[in-house]
Amino acid sequence: MFFTKQKLVILVLLVFLSCKESIKNQSSMKKIVIAHRGASGYLPEHTMEAKAMAYAMNSDYIEQDLVLSKDNVPVVIHDIYLDDVTNVNKVFPDRKRKDGRFYVIDFTFDELQRLQVIERFDPKTGKQFYPKRFPKGKGNFKLHSLQQEIELIQGLNYSTGKDIGIYPEIKNPKFHHQNGKDIAKITINILSQYGYKTKKDKCIFQCFDAKGLERVRKELKSDLFLVQLIEFEEETKKLKHFATYADGIGPWYKQVLDKKEAGKWEFTSLVEDAHTLGLKVHPYTFRVDQLDEFSSFEEMMKVLLIDANVDGGFTDFPDKMVAFLTKK
């Protein structure tokens, strides 16, 4: 009888220790830091300098937004437009379309190299979007291609021994198709040439266009880790469909929040529902200079990364996110 009780005590103890270790492992599971357009809180977005700075800050992944040039080069830039981040209106004043905008797709890569990249501004007023960031018009920053950025990151991985990944996003595939270009196919082929082919490779591929991303999986047969970006509230109800082709979702962080009661945040079911379907959750965008409902960046990180239990996120300030997670 004593032996049976002793075994029972040992069994209970082992189960307790196992559960404790499991909880510990769960709470310490790595949250990934995605450098949104590079270290864009400090240097003009999507410049090589911003990417190198993000690398030095030990981001897990560095993001590349992609738009095709006239000669089918994937250019690293946030939008299909040029006039809110470059001096295109001064260099090529006669190249705007009827809507008054300048489009990346209307310029060859060589022509794009003549432009200077500027801190994001309103093309109508000329006013800098984030006034406390890098001064508008200062420095000598240029546009670059996906290939050039991959070679920078892979070269730094080689020379430093780190293994920092890339997180490309194809912008507006429908617009590209309307202009006779297949941005998804071109991008997937380039990624494959540089060794990014499967979920095991350090490449996460994202897009807002659900049909475009589903095509990447089913028609183009890509085995990369795919993330469906979410912009509109009604899209949060389509998780089951997203899970048929994607490995994760990238919602606006406010879609994770519900309401604040008695000083404590409550959350929507988005993260829990996504996790139930096996989807990772990487919200956008964590900014020190755009806190909105939060009193500090520290609070923002705690609420979203810890309390809401997202799996990582996009930030303009990768050093501050890394510092938060390092302390945990």
Side-chain angles (χ1 to χ4, degrees):
M1 189 70 175
F2 173 76
F3 182 71
T4 303
K5 285 183 178 179
Q6 186 182 47
K7 284 203 301 184
L8 182 61
V9 169
I10 292 172
L11 180 62
V12 170
L13 181 60
L14 288 172
V15 170
F16 171 76
L17 291 173
S18 175
C19 289
K20 186 177 180 181
E21 185 64 25
S22 176
I23 293 170
K24 179 182 177 184
N25 289 338
Q26 185 174 0
S27 65
S28 63
M29 283 179 66
K30 184 169 178 57
K31 312 280 187 178
I32 68 168
V33 177
I34 307 151
H36 183 246
R37 311 180 202 175
S40 55
Y42 304 101
L43 285 163
E45 64 185 56
H46 282 318
T47 57
M48 282 289 213
E49 291 85 349
K51 303 309 174 75
M53 189 173 191
Y55 190 99
M57 289 174 170
N58 290 320
S59 307
D60 296 295
Y61 288 84
I62 299 174
E63 183 193 39
Q64 303 80 31
D65 291 320
L66 301 172
V67 180
L68 291 181
S69 66
K70 188 175 184 179
D71 47 352
N72 294 325
V73 177
V75 179
V76 182
I77 188 171
H78 179 254
D79 260 323
I80 59 175
Y81 309 111
L82 287 163
D83 43 306
D84 48 8
V85 290
T86 76
N87 64 341
V88 64
N89 62 328
K90 294 180 179 179
V91 181
F92 298 105
D94 301 324
R95 298 281 291 276
K96 59 187 174 184
R97 291 194 179 187
K98 290 181 180 180
D99 61 2
R101 303 300 303 268
F102 295 81
Y103 288 74
V104 176
I105 206 168
D106 293 334
F107 296 82
T108 66
F109 186 67
D110 284 344
E111 289 176 326
L112 293 170
Q113 295 293 281
R114 293 172 56 187
L115 304 179
Q116 181 180 352
V117 176
I118 301 167
E119 181 68 32
R120 178 168 291 276
F121 64 97
D122 184 333
K124 292 181 180 179
T125 66
K127 188 176 180 181
Q128 186 168 322
F129 199 82
Y130 296 101
K132 294 186 178 181
R133 295 193 182 182
F134 198 91
K136 178 189 168 192
K138 301 294 182 180
N140 184 29
F141 305 101
K142 299 293 183 181
L143 293 169
H144 61 273
S145 68
L146 171 62
Q147 295 95 315
Q148 288 171 326
E149 184 163 334
I150 288 175
E151 289 179 8
L152 172 71
I153 293 170
Q154 289 189 346
L156 285 169
N157 279 341
Y158 182 81
S159 63
T160 66
K162 298 179 186 178
D163 189 21
I164 290 176
I166 63 172
Y167 207 127
E169 176 191 347
I170 52 170
K171 307 298 289 191
N172 208 330
K174 185 177 179 181
F175 168 82
H176 282 87
H177 278 292
Q178 290 170 345
N179 284 269
K181 297 182 182 297
D182 191 342
I183 187 171
K185 188 174 183 179
I186 289 171
T187 303
I188 290 296
N189 286 343
I190 289 171
L191 293 173
S192 179
Q193 290 166 17
Y194 280 93
Y196 301 110
K197 299 178 181 179
T198 72
K199 292 180 179 65
K200 294 180 181 179
D201 303 316
K202 290 296 289 287
C203 176
I204 299 178
F205 189 95
Q206 58 178 334
C207 187
F208 275 104
D209 186 316
K211 289 183 179 179
L213 192 67
E214 186 173 9
R215 175 175 175 257
V216 168
R217 177 71 80 212
K218 297 182 177 179
E219 183 182 327
L220 300 182
K221 306 296 183 183
S222 174
D223 192 36
L224 289 172
F225 192 107
L226 303 185
V227 165
Q228 178 63 61
L229 294 170
I230 297 175
E231 184 176 8
F232 303 109
E233 188 62 32
E234 58 266 25
E235 294 174 310
T236 65
K237 311 301 180 185
K238 300 178 181 179
L239 297 187
K240 286 185 179 179
H241 176 63
F242 295 157
T244 63
Y245 61 87
D247 305 287
I249 57 170
W252 184 27
Y253 79 84
K254 295 191 180 188
Q255 292 170 330
V256 172
L257 303 174
D258 186 4
K259 57 186 176 181
K260 195 173 186 180
E261 297 229 353
K264 186 176 181 180
W265 278 102
E266 294 182 4
F267 305 101
T268 66
S269 65
L270 182 61
V271 176
E272 184 178 353
D273 293 344
H275 285 168
T276 299
L277 292 166
L279 296 168
K280 296 292 186 182
V281 183
H282 300 160
Y284 61 88
T285 304
F286 307 156
R287 296 185 172 105
V288 172
D289 49 3
Q290 196 174 38
L291 294 171
D292 292 346
E293 53 278 286
F294 298 108
S295 61
S296 67
F297 191 73
E298 185 91 1
E299 181 194 6
M300 186 185 210
M301 294 297 91
K302 180 184 179 302
V303 169
L304 292 166
L305 292 173
I306 308 304
D307 299 342
N309 194 32
V310 302
D311 303 289
F314 293 83
T315 180
D316 294 0
F317 300 86
D319 59 328
K320 297 188 184 302
M321 190 168 168
V322 168
F324 174 85
L325 290 170
T326 302
K327 289 191 297 184
K328 294 299 167 186

